[in-house]
């Protein structure tokens, strides 16, 4: 069996790996480390969870250390890692710092959503390793705060997701700013033609490595699918999460608005949850991830922004509340569980409209996903959940964070009274069983659907939504903050 010292890594790096209890390289590490150490370009087809961060970071650090001439030049970086999302960028930088512990290697990370000055300070003294999202990187280049002309190593991580997120022009610009003689390490979970063309433009005669093709989902994940009507998915989710303790569960929603709605209804049912998606501020995203990681918030509802890259140990259950249109995305999503050798479970909710998506997924993973029936007494749960819903079939709070939603509920009630259309487009913030509005402080978590506690009608459950947790009334916001306008302003 190959061990890390067999791969040619330096002693300090091996010590850092031992400190993390990594003794055996994963397949991508075993295959990638020797050629990268030898200075070759690399084209890696690998999904997250395969250990690819260490596969590119360890040999690169060794090369940077060996070629170091002292302190980096101000406003320059020696190695650049481009990542599609802020969370992944932060995570890669953290890994780099861990592996480089005790060495004279500086690591910095920049991404959007934080003040520009903070990014400028991060790069001002020069860095050995810079991890960045493409947009913020180009901002700093345009402001002449960052110079890429002396770059030695370029890494593109999750290239296919970068293209999905529309970074193609940014990538093409960045490559023109970088010396042609650099070493390039290019990673993508999938390799369609567009990615292959991009890789050809970036790499010179790369060593190609493919590990665990994306079609082969992690064997350790127990996968099931439950057929359910779209309108009843919320009830099913409440049962799945409430019937037995699941530890940490990650729920995937197709849309940002849908993710917020799922959270509001889970909270109304007494299940602590938070959302992470592109409309959330950086602070909200970080807080939600931190609460999920430390276990204080056991359910995280995410759009596909969280499907890849983010490494959250101990996710026991992945729920595909909506089936993705792109079958590969299913594989990325369920890959959030069963990471680094752990067991995991994945449940898909399939509505009649999504049967075609399910067929495509089953074709890709080359197996039939086992059917799990609806839980016993499900229709009673559906009725309970319906009672948690606003009277009107409203989706007006979607896309706003929960605190804002609570305040806006007040505006809406006033709007509704004034609404010429009889409030047809208005709706209410659902409340928890104890009558509080999600976002307020409340007592211990309990699931009324399990305890048999009578469920009060959300609108009559006491406590006017216009009262804020501090007892003050939320300010009147007037008709101009009508729900249909407010909906998209997260
Ligand atoms: P990645 O694919 O880079 O996101 O890594 C997935 C997870 O595997 C991370 O939690 C890593 O810390 C962990 N990991 C990476 N390499 C190893 C290894 N050789 N042995 C055990 N765990 C590892």
């Amino acid at each position: 069996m190959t061990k890390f010292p067999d791969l040619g890594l330096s002693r300090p790096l091996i010590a850092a790996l031992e400190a993390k209890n990594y003794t055996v390289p994963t397949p991508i590490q075993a295959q990638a480390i020797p050629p990268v150490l030898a200075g070759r370009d690399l084209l890696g087809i690998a999904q997250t969870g395969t250990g690819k961060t260490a596969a590119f970071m360890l040999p690169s650090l060794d090369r940077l250390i060996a070629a170091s001439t002292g302190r980096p030049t101000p406003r320059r970086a020696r190695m650049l890692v481009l990542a599609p999302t802020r969370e992944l960028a932060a995570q890669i930088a953290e890994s780099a710092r861990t592996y480089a512990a005790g060495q004279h290697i500086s690591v910095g990370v920049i991404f959007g959503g934080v003040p520009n000055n903070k990014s400028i300070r991060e790069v001002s003294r020069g860095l050995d390793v810079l991890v960045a999202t493409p947009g913020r990187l180009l901002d700093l280049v345009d402001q002449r705060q960052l110079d890429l002309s002396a770059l030695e190593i370029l890494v593109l991580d999750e290239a296919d997701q970068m293209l999905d997120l529309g970074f193609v022009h940014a990538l093409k610009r960045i490559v023109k700013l970088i010396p042609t003689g650099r070493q390039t390490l290019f990673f993508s979970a999938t390799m369609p033609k567009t990615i292959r063309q991009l890789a050809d433009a970036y790499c010179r005669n790369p060593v190609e490595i493919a590990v665990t093709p994306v079609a082969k989902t992690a064997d350790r994940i127990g996968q099931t699918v439950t057929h359910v009507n779209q309108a009843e998915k919320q009830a099913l989710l409440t049962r799945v999460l409430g019937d037995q303790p699941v530890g940490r569960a990650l729920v995937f929603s197709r849309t940002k608005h849908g993710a917020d709605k799922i959270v509001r209804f889970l909270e109304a049912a007494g299940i602590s949850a938070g959302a992470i998606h592109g409309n959330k501020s950086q602070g909200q995203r970080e807080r939600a991830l931190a609460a999920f990681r430390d276990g204080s918030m056991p359910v995280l509802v995410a759009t596909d922004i969280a499907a890849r890259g983010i490494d959250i140990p101990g996710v026991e259950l992945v729920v595909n509340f909506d089936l993705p249109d792109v079958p590969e995305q299913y594989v990325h999503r369920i890959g959030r569980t069963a990471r680094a050798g752990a067991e995991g479970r994945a449940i898909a909710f399939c509505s009649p409209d999504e049967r075609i998506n399910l067929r495509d997924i089953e074709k890709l993973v080359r197996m039939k996903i086992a059917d799990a029936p609806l839980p016993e007494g499900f229709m009673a749960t559906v009725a309970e959940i319906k009672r948690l819903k606003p009277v009107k079939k409203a989706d007006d709070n979607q896309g706003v964070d929960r605190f804002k939603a609570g305040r806006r509920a007040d505006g809406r009630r006033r709007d509704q009274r004034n609404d010429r259309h009889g409030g047809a487009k208005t709706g209410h913030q659902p409340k928890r069983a104890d009558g509080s509005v999600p976002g307020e402080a409340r007592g211990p978590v309990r699931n009324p659907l399990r305890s048999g506690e009578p469920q009060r009608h959300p609108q009559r459950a006491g406590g006017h939504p216009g009262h804020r947790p501090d007892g003050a009334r939320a300010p009147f916001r007037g008709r101009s903050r009508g729900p249909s306008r407010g909906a998209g302003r997260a």
Side-chain angles (χ1 to χ4, degrees), residues 405-417:
R407 286 191 302 178
R408 227 171 264 174
D410 175 67
R412 262 195 308 281
R413 286 181 73 83
R414 290 161 189 264
D415 286 350
Q416 195 177 25
R417 283 200 293 269

Side-chain angles (χ1 to χ4, degrees), residues 189-472:
T190 54
M191 196 52 64
K193 214 167 136 204
T194 45
I195 303 286
R196 170 67 63 176
Q197 284 166 349
L198 195 68
D200 288 345
Y202 271 73
C203 304
R204 283 175 315 171
N205 187 24
V207 174
E208 289 194 26
I209 293 172
V211 296
T212 330
V214 72
K216 286 189 116 207
T217 38
D219 301 333
R220 297 179 307 273
I221 304 173
Q223 299 168 58
T224 55
V225 58
T226 300
H227 292 273
V228 59
N229 290 326
Q230 187 67 32
E232 292 164 0
K233 284 184 173 181
Q234 188 74 41
L236 183 57
L237 182 65
T238 312
R239 286 292 298 270
V240 164
L241 298 174
D243 277 359
Q244 34 175 292
V246 285
R248 254 170 291 196
L250 191 52
V251 178
F252 283 102
S253 152
R254 180 174 292 138
T255 65
K256 303 172 210 174
H257 298 171
D260 283 332
K261 188 172 171 191
I262 293 167
V263 167
R264 286 199 305 277
F265 279 88
L266 283 178
E267 289 262 313
I271 297 172
S272 175
I276 175 171
H277 56 64
N279 276 7
K280 298 284 186 193
S281 69
Q282 184 58 23
Q284 287 172 319
R285 284 160 67 159
E286 278 169 15
R287 277 195 299 280
L289 265 181
F292 188 60
R293 279 204 176 102
D294 72 21
S296 55
M297 188 187 72
V299 182
L300 186 65
V301 185
T303 54
D304 279 322
I305 196 160
R308 293 200 225 166
I310 301 166
D311 182 33
I312 304 162
V315 174
E316 279 149 44
L317 174 69
V318 169
V319 180
N320 276 289
F321 190 94
D322 299 306
L323 287 187
D325 294 324
V326 179
E328 280 85 0
Q329 206 60 32
Y330 171 84
V331 183
H332 296 307
R333 289 178 177 187
I334 70 166
R336 303 297 88 209
T337 184
R339 285 170 80 74
E343 301 268 315
R345 243 177 358 122
I347 304 179
F349 295 176
C350 180
S351 68
D353 284 353
E354 292 171 321
R355 294 229 165 105
I356 184 150
N357 302 38
L358 178 64
R359 261 211 315 274
D360 289 347
I361 289 166
E362 289 182 331
K363 230 170 26 202
L364 177 75
V365 301
R366 292 191 217 114
M367 62 178 243
K368 171 138 180 46
I369 300 172
D371 270 4
L374 289 166
E376 243 170 71
F378 179 61
M379 289 326 287
T381 314
V382 171
E384 296 275 9
I385 291 294
K386 275 203 177 125
R387 261 183 274 156
L388 284 178
K389 281 189 177 175
V391 176
K392 305 282 179 199
K393 195 169 175 292
D395 50 8
D396 44 15
N397 271 349
Q398 296 168 10
V400 298
D401 72 67
R402 282 183 284 144
F403 181 59
K404 281 182 188 160
R407 286 191 302 178
R408 227 171 264 174
D410 175 67
R412 262 195 308 281
R413 286 181 73 83
R414 290 161 189 264
D415 286 350
Q416 195 177 25
R417 283 200 293 269
N418 298 331
D419 193 337
R420 275 180 294 154
H421 307 293
K425 287 198 220 152
T426 64
H428 304 289
Q429 173 77 349
K431 291 203 186 97
R432 296 195 188 100
D434 63 6
S436 64
V437 176
E440 286 180 359
R442 60 164 178 188
V445 175
R446 61 199 164 155
N447 183 351
L449 301 177
R450 295 196 60 207
S451 64
E453 192 177 301
Q455 183 65 54
R456 283 180 293 173
H457 193 288
Q459 287 186 25
R460 292 180 216 126
H464 192 285
H467 289 287
R468 293 200 304 216
D470 58 5

